Amino acid sequence: MGFFDDKEDFLEATFAKYPPEGRRAAIMPLLRRVQQEEGWIRPERVEEIARLVGTTATEVMGVASFYSYYQFVPTGKYHLQVCATLSCKLSGADELWDYLTQELGIGPGEVTPDGLFSVQKVECLGSCHTAPVVQVNDEPYVECVTRARLKALLEGLKAGKRLEEIELPGRCGHHVHEVEV
């Protein structure tokens, strides 16, 4: 059974947004749906999306691999993405990355034994003025991240709190940018 076999309403609504000759434009929303529900993009999902939009798996992978949002290995319940571009790097992102990977005991492509966390360094998350920035799944960014803020974030997530319920120490916007992928 394919991922989209029981999602006829979703497919119909998605394809209705594009002209028949532009069906390939639906690659992104289809990838996003798979990512949201399964946590990562399996090769068979790439092939299924290619069939649905009338293109090749290579083209679908070309689109998906451009964005750091899409994962090609299993991820934890909370996939933590640390911005690694210049503004964040200069503001301490490398030290935060080291703390995060040591604290969780994992590196890129790995998931904590409890299934809660996976980590990834990503390119610009678009909030250079509040660097360093961390994103959890596709939630709004956590900005001005310090070791104390990262520790509070991890503790809150381990306790099952939603991102907006976690009290972060220090001054800075908690969530400023909503991400559209």
Side-chain angles (χ1 to χ4, degrees):
M1 180 171 165
F3 176 82
F4 292 100
D5 287 353
D6 62 349
K7 296 172 180 58
E8 297 88 11
D9 291 344
F10 169 76
L11 289 174
E12 186 178 314
T14 301
F15 291 140
K17 296 176 185 176
Y18 309 103
E21 66 277 3
R23 205 167 193 182
R24 288 176 27 232
I27 290 172
M28 293 285 286
L30 299 181
L31 285 167
R32 184 171 176 82
R33 181 71 182 257
V34 171
Q35 177 77 32
Q36 287 174 325
E37 289 191 27
E38 294 190 336
W40 64 296
I41 310 294
R42 306 165 193 265
E44 58 268 24
R45 301 300 181 235
V46 170
E47 292 173 15
E48 183 179 1
I49 290 170
R51 279 191 308 277
L52 287 167
V53 302
T55 191
T56 64
T58 301
E59 184 176 11
V60 174
M61 273 304 293
V63 171
S65 64
F66 181 80
Y67 298 94
S68 60
Y69 171 75
Y70 300 115
Q71 305 304 309
F72 304 101
V73 294
T75 59
K77 179 178 180 180
Y78 305 111
H79 185 64
L80 304 173
Q81 300 173 77
V82 178
C83 183
T85 49
L86 186 59
S87 293
C88 286
K89 196 178 270 294
L90 291 173
S91 298
D94 288 341
E95 292 80 10
L96 291 174
W97 175 259
D98 292 344
Y99 171 77
L100 181 63
T101 56
Q102 289 170 5
E103 185 71 19
L104 296 176
I106 58 171
E110 299 176 332
V111 177
T112 54
D114 59 9
L116 283 180
F117 296 99
S118 55
V119 296
Q120 178 185 15
K121 275 190 178 181
V122 296
E123 289 305 311
C124 189
L125 289 172
S127 191
C128 299
H129 64 291
T130 59
V133 179
V134 173
Q135 186 171 19
V136 181
N137 301 333
D138 63 348
E139 295 289 327
Y141 310 144
V142 178
E143 302 169 316
C144 305
V145 180
T146 60
R147 185 181 288 228
R149 287 170 72 83
L150 186 55
K151 183 178 182 196
L153 176 66
L154 291 175
E155 288 172 359
L157 294 173
K158 285 178 184 175
K161 292 183 178 179
R162 293 189 349 249
L163 193 57
E164 61 272 6
E165 298 171 333
I166 300 172
E167 292 289 328
L168 299 177
R171 294 181 304 153
C172 191
H174 188 77
H175 314 295
V176 174
H177 301 283
E178 300 244 350
V179 178
E180 287 287 328
V181 178

